[in-house]
Amino acid sequence: MEGTTAANFTFTSDKQWLLHGFVYVSDGATLTIEPGTVIKGDKNSKGTLIIQRGAKIHAEGSSSQPIVFTSNQAAGSRD
């Protein structure tokens, strides 16, 4: 995913999500993140999720279905 969204959007747990560059959720929009979802930031483009003022994020993971934010950089890599 990349760019800006002004529409309500859901990160579903049936796939891994990759953020390219700065990803903005705009005023009035709601981002929902399902339990068990994995969201990765692209290392090269500095993948970042930004919830702007007036936007909302709804994310409720659990110990058995955590929401994970991580990098797409290979484990052990120092590039």
Side-chain angles (χ1 to χ4, degrees):
M1 174 162 211
E2 59 187 315
T4 301
T5 183
N8 294 339
F9 194 81
T10 299
F11 284 171
T12 56
S13 62
D14 61 343
K15 68 178 199 172
Q16 290 188 5
W17 294 86
L18 182 61
L19 305 175
H20 291 276
F22 294 163
V23 177
Y24 294 90
V25 179
S26 297
D27 181 14
T30 298
L31 171 63
T32 301
I33 304 174
E34 293 181 345
T37 301
V38 176
I39 301 136
K40 295 185 175 187
D42 178 61
K43 180 183 183 295
N44 294 331
S45 65
K46 298 180 175 63
T48 305
L49 179 62
I50 301 165
I51 310 300
Q52 295 183 311
R53 181 173 293 160
K56 296 179 183 176
I57 184 170
H58 178 73
E60 291 186 37
S62 67
S63 60
S64 63
Q65 290 187 297
I67 295 170
V68 178
F69 283 86
T70 190
S71 171
N72 72 337
Q73 181 175 338
S77 176
R78 293 185 164 248
D79 295 336

